[in-house]
Amino acid sequence: MLPFFDLSLQINRFPIRSAKAALKKISNYTPAEKEIFIEQQKVAIVDFHIKNNSFYRSLVPVYPINWEALPVLNKKNLQVPLANRFSDGYTIANSYSNKTSGSSGTPFVFAKDKYCHALTWASNFMRFGWHNVDLNSAYQARFYGIPMEFLPNKKERFKDFICNRYRFPIFDLSDVVLEKILNNFKHKKFDYINGYTSAIVLFAKFLRDKNLYLNKICPTLKVCVVTSEMLFKDDKLLLETQFGIPVINEYGASEIDLIAFENAQGEWLVNAETIFVEILDHDNQVLPYGEEGRIVITSLFNKANPFIRYDIGDIGILDKKSTLAKPILKKLIGRTNDMVILPSGKKSPGLTFYYVTKSIIEDNGNVKEFVITQSKIALFEVEYVSETELDVVAIQKIQKAIDRYLEPNLKFIFYRKETLQRTNRGKLKQFTSLL
């Protein structure tokens, strides 16, 4: 008898058993065998979509073609009606479909064939299993948003039941709500935490202020997996200290799969079983390992929709010690659409400001969260949640750091808030440019 989670996937015609078997076979390949598999699968998925997908065929006028000459797709390319992007034989009825969160500012509807979606879940099972978490039986404390409309809300609640998880909606993270969350940890035997980084970090700060350690309150906890938002080194240290369990960094995209997942050795391993990741420069040229560029992903199995050389909208670096069979994500820098344009003409990732100001602001002691918005070429607005106003000394330190690391004569305006605005999914966008 299949476990309940596996059984629910099988009932919905997602072949999880065969997907798990296939993934196990791929993951057991020798490095040489895996490299051959990846190269063969790249050719096979392009060939399939050229023959069976008129949308993709229209983008590749000459075939066969060298891999590097294939078009690089982006979210705007894919914002045509889903019906126009389906491969022959695939429809809404016989595929898995969903909508991206729109955190990049460019949401769209996507589809996966059912075997591909089953592989996505098999990938989740395998990677969580690295940390002794069995998704069929482990009880999850889930820090995520949730739809407020009646039917979508009930649908998510039912999925939570199927997946054995208890959801903490994160739209209100006041101390009163955090106290209620803490009370749940006192009475429920959670096995692991999973959710948005900013919300989980805020909960850890709440525990720190109360001098509490979560593994003492909930001793069944094994691991904390953070996703969807940047995890900074000092935040990871805070989580490990206050939770008393390993903190694992996850990087994924709903339209693709888990992209990278930290292993027990602290390596942020890129998924080389179901996807192929490249780092490209502004001219779509492949960069060597160790260099910073755009993250471009190919889904090796999705036959319903073509995700071939798909620019996901993020900037990152693959470690120099990466190989085709074992790529390692060294650093995830941020989104390509979150670039700061400075008066001098210099461009920097928006998170540069976040890095520079974060430690200084948090030295204040009372600041819980903050976000930065570039409203004009030299004007930046900082909204923060704190018990007291930032003092003149803290603001002067921030200004000096900006002058030193970026350039002088940039103006910052600080606004103290009760709460910060999150997306409709509950994410906290740490930097926004209005230019």
Side-chain angles (χ1 to χ4, degrees), residues 406-419:
L406 291 162
E407 63 182 56
N409 302 318
L410 300 178
K411 184 178 181 182
F412 280 74
I413 302 176
F414 294 85
Y415 300 97
R416 180 168 164 257
K417 300 282 187 177
E418 292 294 324
T419 59

Side-chain angles (χ1 to χ4, degrees), residues 40 66 118 241 307 309 356:
Q40 290 177 338
N66 290 334
T241 301
F307 283 96
R309 306 201 84 199
V356 172

Side-chain angles (χ1 to χ4, degrees), residues 222-285:
K222 298 184 182 75
V223 69
C224 170
V225 179
V226 296
T227 190
S228 293
E229 299 164 336
M230 298 290 287
L231 175 64
F232 298 94
K233 286 184 179 179
D234 53 345
D235 284 340
K236 184 173 184 179
L237 179 60
L238 170 71
L239 294 176
E240 290 173 340
T241 301
Q242 298 306 138
F243 292 173
I245 53 177
V247 175
I248 304 304
N249 210 351
E250 175 192 283
Y251 171 41
S254 57
E255 68 270 34
I256 299 293
D257 201 330
L258 276 178
I259 299 168
F261 202 85
E262 197 173 345
N263 65 13
Q265 291 72 47
E267 296 173 314
W268 208 358
L269 288 188
V270 172
N271 172 0
E273 289 77 34
T274 69
I275 64 175
F276 170 64
V277 174
E278 303 170 89
I279 304 294
L280 303 188
D281 66 13
H282 292 296
D283 297 318
N284 292 338
Q285 299 301 303

Side-chain angles (χ1 to χ4, degrees), residues 140-155:
Q140 179 190 141
R142 188 171 182 83
F143 287 75
Y144 268 75
I146 191 169
M148 294 301 169
E149 298 81 8
F150 181 78
L151 286 178
N153 183 280
K154 296 304 178 186
K155 181 179 179 181

Side-chain angles (χ1 to χ4, degrees), residues 12 31-32 35 42 67 80 96 117 139-140 166 196 206 239 301 311 349 388 393 418:
N12 286 289
E35 290 187 7
K42 284 163 59 182
W67 179 265
V80 298
Y96 168 82
H117 188 59
Y139 194 20
Q140 179 190 141
Y166 188 90
Y196 296 160
F206 174 78
L239 294 176
F301 288 93
D311 186 340
T388 58
V393 174
E418 292 294 324

Side-chain angles (χ1 to χ4, degrees), residues 45 116 256 274-276 297-302 307-309:
I45 197 66
C116 178
I256 299 293
T274 69
I275 64 175
F276 170 64
I297 302 175
T298 296
S299 175
L300 296 174
F301 288 93
N302 191 355
F307 283 96
I308 299 170
R309 306 201 84 199

